Structures are given as C-alpha cells and as structure tokens.
Amino acid sequence: MNRKPALSAKLICLGVLAVLLLAAALCLLFVPGAPRHAASGPAEGQTLLTIYEGPRTMTGSQTAVIRANGHELFVYDVMVNHEHIWKADSEPSSTPMTYFDFLGSVSLEIEMPGLNKPVESAAVLPAAWGIVPEVEDGRVRFTITEPGAYTVVFNGSVNKAVHIFANPPETDVPDPDDPDVYYIGPGEWTMDAIALQDGQTLYLSGGAVLHSIVSVANADNVRICGRGMIDGSDYPAWNRPGSYARVPIDINHSKNVTAEGIILVNSNCWNFNSFSSSHVRIDNVKIISGRQNGDGFTFQSCTDHEVTNCFARTWDDSLVIKNYSGSSRGIRFRNVQIWTDLAQSMEIGYETDKGLTLDPEISDVLFEDITVLYNFHKPVISIHNSDDAFVHDITYRNIVVENAMMQGDNGNNKELIEMTLQNSGWSTVTDEFGSIDSVLIEGLTVVNTADGKVPASRFSGQGPENRITNVTIKNVTILGQPIRDLDALRASVNEYCENITVE
C-alpha cells in the first residue's frame, strides 16, 4: 500500500469577538477548516467553536441550511432507508447531517428548504436533552451546552430528520510528521484499503471525506481518530452483481485498538466490525447507514470491547454480538444512541456458534444508558441463541426507548423483549441447542409505541435440557405505567423457562 504524504492542517482563525455591550454575552473563537487542538479551554463565559468546511469537490445538502452561532455549516446528505422490509434491491433515500466541535454554548438555527411543506413544528431528540426548540417563520432555533448527538425531526415526521454531531474539542491530535501516522487532511480522498499495522495511527482531519476501507489485521496498539468521515457511497451495495462487502472499519485478530471521533456513512454493508479481537475501545464514533445488512457496531467472538458516547442509525441491527470463532465475553455498550430502521436494536445472536467451537459462550455483556430514538422493525432487546452456546450474565440497565414502532415485514415478531432458543436460517448447529441464564433488565422505559399499547414480549426455551432461566426484569415503565408482572408486560413464557420474573 502506498502511504499518502502527511498534510499539514491549515487553520483560519478569525479571532475572539469581544461583545462589550452585553455583560453576559459570550466570546467566540471561530475556527473553520482543519481540526484545532486547544491546549486549554476558553475563559469562563466564552465559547470555543470549531467548524469544518466541506470538500470543494462535494455539493452540500439542498435540504437543510444549518447555522451555529450565526456561521453556516457544511451539511452532508447521507444515506438512510425508511423501508421497514428487507429487499435485496432496496434503494436508500437521504437525510441531512453536520458536525462541529465546541465548548461553552452554541445557538443553532435550521431551515429546511428541501421539505415538501413548511416547518410548523420540531422536536429535538433525545428527549433527555430537555430542549424545546423555537419554531418561527419556518426556522428552528435552540441552544446546546453539552457535546453529544442531537437529532431534529420536523412536523411529526422522521422524513429528512437532521443529525447534528456536536463534538467536544479535540485532544491528543497526532503529529502529521510522525512516520507511524497516516494523516488525512481536509478534502475528498479516494484510496485503496488502508492496512494499519502495529503502533500505527490513522488520523482523519475534520473536513476530510475518505472513500476507502480501514483494515486492522493481526495488529497491536492501533489508533483510528479525528473528526473526518469514511464514506462508502462509491461502492454499490454488497449484494449487487460484481460487488462485495466493503466494511469501513474491519478489525481482525487484533488487540489494543482505539477508535474515536470519526463518522461512518453510506457503507455498502456492515459498518464497524471486530472479529476475534480483544481490548478495543470505541468512543464518540457516529454511524449512519441505509443499505442492506448495514449493521452498526458488530462484534464476533471478541473479548474486552467497550463502546461509549456513540451513535448508530442503521438499516439492520444496531449493536450486535455473535460467535463466529470462539466465545465472546466482556462486551460493554455505554451511553449510546440508537435509531434502528430495520431489525433489532440490541441483538445477541442469531449466530452463537458459527465456528463450531467446543463449549461456546457469550457472557459478561452490558448495555447501559442506551437511548433508542426509534426502533422501527423487530425487537428492541433480543437474545436469539440459534446454535448451541451458553449465553449468560447479560445486563441491560437504564434503557430508554423513545419510539418502539415495530412494523414492516416482521410478521408477528413485534416484541419489545425476545429471548429464544431456536433453529433459524442463520443456524450452523442444527442438532443441538444451548441455554440462556442470568439476565438482568433493570430500568426500562418505553415512551411511545406505534399503536399506543404495550408491545408483547416472548421467552421460549427448547427442551428440558435447553432452557431459559433466571431472567429478572425490574423498574419497567411503558407509556407512563409501571409494569410489575408478566401479564402487564404481555409476556408469553413457554414451559422450558424457569424463574422469569418482573419486579
């Protein structure tokens, strides 16, 4: 592989605007272009804002105009899919997305010239932000003071929802002259696959759009970071004639890998994959995906993985754990926002022993402080043990489902929670079954459902030796009502389950 030369970041600083007439006003440091490392934060009462110009080879969105503290942001149109049925030839649509870094307070203004009707109402998600936007003359205005992912929907519809990724200021930016750093500066770049080796770093500068894939195979101590994007729109969907899967970030048999800050869009298949790897840390990575099998964060036979402060809008499962070769354990998802247009939001399975491993297990898994903005298809929480694994010690804590809208081609598979031992089209082991034991769901809130009713849940073991046991569900509120027993949860439990309780 040919290494691209390091590109020095160009900073255009317009200075600090001192607003002397208003004692409570904020000072603004405005830095468009490449990322800037701030050695220290601004003085009290000031705002640090870093915005990134889009590549000159790309056309900004015609749907949305977004300003941050009066400065117009470059808005990308990225692929999403509003069809809640799996079709091999499904074509995605698009939705606006933008990003910036800040510290302090930022006032946002959004206009939507690409909507088919004027903006009359808007909502900022997740609701936990507590933001009630001002809507006046078709403009939406609100102020943010915390970094994070903000989604804005208009006129009660998810069509053309705006995704805003407000990052904290960058720290620990690598040296572009370091021989172990692949430094991708602002602009649009098309490259062959980038294969990272021991001790190497890939840095994607803010304003960079990289058409490529990143492979980390049999490597140790690798870092992927920055504010830029990996964009898979150059590749046809993986299932089209002559095409194949092009996973934006693919980690295989590696350890001590970190990924932080970047955005993955328009993948032609899975988005962030890790296989048979250990000690992986993923922080503030954002995914928007609208094509077939567009799983978000998907880990197979991995140990000690942590995903924090991330966002995934996917056209397939959002957070996924499977066994493809060996067991999985020590997987943690914390403070993650999910929007699942197809399939499951938090999925273990169906493949739990695809590698035909002796005594396979999936254990010590945590989903904590997860916000599901929308779940449009199949179950929100699911364990599908479709092979012979022992799945145990799984915890779901503080899960908020803002919209449990299960619909589309899911048939009767519209559960809120589903745990099953069953053969399926994904089974590798078809003559044996496994078991599920010691599952805790503590703190589950469902705000809205498609029909205004409590969705069903299902627990189904396979036989006397293949059971689902010791599942505790506590502190559940659905549509504002506390749920205190299996009947209120509308749960079906077959005879091969034991000690399934709601408290």
Side-chain angles (χ1 to χ4, degrees):
M1 182 192 73
N2 294 324
R3 174 174 293 192
K4 295 291 179 179
L7 298 177
S8 298
K10 180 180 180 181
L11 300 178
I12 304 174
C13 181
L14 299 184
V16 177
L17 302 179
V19 185
L20 301 177
L21 297 179
L22 298 174
L26 299 177
C27 294
L28 172 66
L29 177 60
F30 168 52
V31 190
R36 172 190 175 117
H37 172 57
S40 60
E44 184 178 357
Q46 294 181 333
T47 287
L48 173 70
L49 173 65
T50 307
I51 68 175
Y52 301 99
E53 297 173 351
R56 295 182 181 180
T57 53
M58 298 183 70
T59 301
S61 173
Q62 302 301 301
T63 300
V65 177
I66 305 176
R67 298 178 181 87
N69 285 354
H71 300 280
E72 188 167 331
L73 306 176
F74 189 91
V75 181
Y76 300 83
D77 279 329
V78 296
M79 295 180 186
V80 295
N81 200 322
H82 293 294
E83 293 186 86
H84 311 307
I85 58 176
W86 199 97
K87 294 196 303 185
D89 59 351
S90 178
E91 289 292 342
S93 56
S94 67
T95 212
M97 181 274 293
T98 192
Y99 65 96
F100 55 87
D101 302 350
F102 85 108
L103 185 66
S105 175
V106 170
S107 297
L108 292 166
E109 180 181 89
I110 305 173
E111 297 179 70
M112 296 295 291
L115 279 187
N116 56 12
K117 61 177 295 186
V119 175
E120 298 175 352
S121 65
V124 179
L125 307 178
W129 287 126
I131 295 174
V132 178
E134 173 190 342
V135 180
E136 182 180 10
D137 297 329
R139 290 181 172 86
V140 178
R141 299 183 181 92
F142 59 97
T143 297
I144 63 173
T145 57
E146 296 180 52
Y150 295 80
T151 295
V152 187
V153 296
F154 307 95
N155 299 333
S157 169
V158 298
N159 185 46
K160 304 300 181 183
V162 167
H163 297 292
I164 300 171
F165 301 132
N167 302 296
E170 274 193 284
T171 60
D172 195 20
V173 175
D175 181 356
D177 296 322
D178 186 327
D180 285 322
V181 172
Y182 287 75
Y183 195 103
I184 310 297
E188 188 173 20
W189 304 88
T190 299
M191 301 182 186
D192 294 333
I194 298 174
L196 296 176
Q197 301 176 6
D198 290 357
Q200 291 186 334
T201 293
L202 170 66
Y203 179 75
L204 292 173
S205 174
V209 177
L210 174 64
H211 301 283
S212 184
I213 60 175
V214 179
S215 172
V216 182
N218 300 296
D220 184 9
N221 189 26
V222 170
R223 184 183 179 204
I224 303 166
C225 59
R227 290 292 184 263
M229 299 164 49
I230 300 178
D231 180 350
S233 59
D234 281 8
Y235 312 126
W238 72 270
N239 61 337
R240 299 300 170 87
S243 187
Y244 58 94
R246 306 271 295 189
V247 181
I249 296 183
D250 197 13
I251 303 170
N252 289 275
H253 292 92
S254 295
K255 60 184 178 180
N256 300 315
V257 179
T258 62
E260 52 196 334
I262 64 171
I263 304 171
L264 309 179
V265 297
N266 308 331
S267 174
N268 83 338
C269 57
W270 293 357
N271 285 271
F272 197 117
N273 175 58
S274 185
F275 170 69
S276 197
S277 296
S278 63
H279 309 299
V280 173
R281 299 290 179 267
I282 304 163
D283 183 64
N284 189 28
V285 171
K286 289 79 66 176
I287 292 171
I288 301 179
S289 172
R291 293 199 280 184
Q292 291 85 351
N293 299 95
D295 292 30
F297 298 97
T298 177
F299 305 146
Q300 292 83 40
S301 302
C302 290
T303 60
D304 189 19
H305 278 44
E306 185 168 72
V307 178
T308 55
N309 308 314
C310 289
F311 178 94
R313 177 175 179 178
T314 61
W315 202 59
D316 214 316
D317 305 320
S318 292
L319 309 178
V320 195
I321 301 171
K322 305 175 186 286
N323 279 345
Y324 271 40
S325 177
S327 295
S328 301
R329 67 180 180 275
I331 312 296
R332 298 167 293 280
F333 298 96
R334 289 191 174 99
N335 191 30
V336 181
Q337 292 183 32
I338 302 169
W339 175 322
T340 311
D341 283 307
L342 192 85
Q344 288 93 190
S345 288
M346 290 166 277
E347 162 73 351
I348 296 176
Y350 282 79
E351 303 95 313
T352 60
D353 190 14
K354 195 173 182 67
L356 297 175
T357 301
L358 184 65
D359 299 326
E361 296 184 30
I362 297 177
S363 64
D364 186 20
V365 175
L366 172 66
F367 299 88
E368 185 174 47
D369 297 327
I370 308 296
T371 300
V372 182
L373 302 180
Y374 289 93
N375 183 97
F376 272 114
H377 196 225
K378 291 185 177 180
V380 176
I381 294 174
S382 52
I383 302 176
H384 294 126
N385 191 349
S386 193
D387 292 306
D388 63 342
F390 178 30
V391 180
H392 63 99
D393 293 289
I394 314 296
T395 299
Y396 305 83
R397 181 176 291 118
N398 298 335
I399 311 297
V400 176
V401 187
E402 297 203 349
N403 295 280
M405 311 300 286
M406 289 75 82
Q407 48 192 246
D409 68 345
N410 57 19
N412 294 322
N413 197 192
K414 301 178 180 180
E415 289 81 11
L416 173 65
I417 304 167
E418 183 175 55
M419 300 182 191
T420 64
L421 307 172
Q422 64 180 91
N423 284 142
S424 73
W426 299 277
S427 295
T428 300
V429 180
T430 57
D431 58 345
E432 296 182 34
F433 295 95
S435 59
I436 299 171
D437 180 64
S438 298
V439 179
L440 172 64
I441 301 174
E442 183 177 19
L444 171 61
T445 301
V446 179
V447 179
N448 184 37
T449 63
D451 58 5
K453 300 178 181 178
V454 174
S457 292
R458 183 166 78 100
F459 303 84
S460 179
Q462 187 59 228
E465 302 301 320
N466 305 105
R467 304 170 68 84
I468 300 175
T469 53
N470 302 315
V471 177
T472 301
I473 304 168
K474 57 172 61 175
N475 300 329
V476 177
T477 301
I478 301 178
L479 303 176
Q481 298 299 314
I483 304 297
R484 296 193 172 92
D485 55 48
L486 287 169
D487 288 340
L489 190 64
R490 293 188 59 211
S492 65
V493 181
N494 77 359
E495 67 271 32
Y496 302 119
C497 299
E498 181 181 355
N499 196 22
I500 315 296
T501 62
V502 176
E503 302 174 5

